[in-house]
Amino acid sequence: MKITKLIKKGVLILIILYVSITFINQQKAINAYNNEQENLRNKIKNQKEYNQSLLATKENISSPEYIEELAREKLDMYLPNEKVYIDISK
């Protein structure tokens, strides 16, 4: 009788150990998936903001103000009566 009780206790301990290890591993996997989900949500949010900025640029692309700003920044073009000062200390 003592051997069967000992075997039963051993099997019970092994089952509890197996369930505990499985639970811990599943929790780690769930945490990793939650982190990945949060990262993907942040990427989606950032991409939506970028898309909104592109849409705003698209709407203003034909405006004279945008064209003038683009000519100043990208092409270094200025109005004829405009004085340009360049800081050479940089």
Side-chain angles (χ1 to χ4, degrees):
M1 284 283 215
K2 281 197 163 213
I3 294 178
T4 57
K5 272 188 169 182
L6 188 60
I7 290 175
K8 285 181 182 179
K9 284 183 182 182
V11 169
L12 184 61
I13 290 173
L14 287 176
I15 290 173
I16 291 172
L17 186 64
Y18 174 75
V19 169
S20 298
I21 291 172
T22 302
F23 178 75
I24 291 170
N25 287 336
Q26 287 179 346
Q27 275 304 117
K28 287 180 183 177
I30 288 171
N31 289 339
Y33 289 135
N34 286 340
N35 288 338
E36 184 177 352
Q37 182 181 29
E38 187 64 30
N39 289 338
L40 291 174
R41 282 186 181 152
N42 287 337
K43 284 183 180 180
I44 289 171
K45 179 184 169 202
N46 291 340
Q47 190 62 44
K48 284 182 179 180
E49 290 173 358
Y50 179 68
N51 288 348
Q52 289 297 325
S53 71
L54 287 178
L55 286 174
T57 302
K58 179 183 173 186
E59 290 175 3
N60 294 330
I61 204 160
S62 297
S63 71
E65 294 85 14
Y66 181 77
I67 293 171
E68 184 177 332
E69 178 185 341
L70 194 62
R72 287 175 193 270
E73 291 177 6
K74 303 287 182 183
L75 303 174
D76 288 330
M77 297 175 73
Y78 302 98
L79 295 174
N81 299 342
E82 199 171 28
K83 292 183 180 178
V84 179
Y85 296 98
I86 300 173
D87 185 11
I88 60 171
S89 64
K90 292 182 183 178

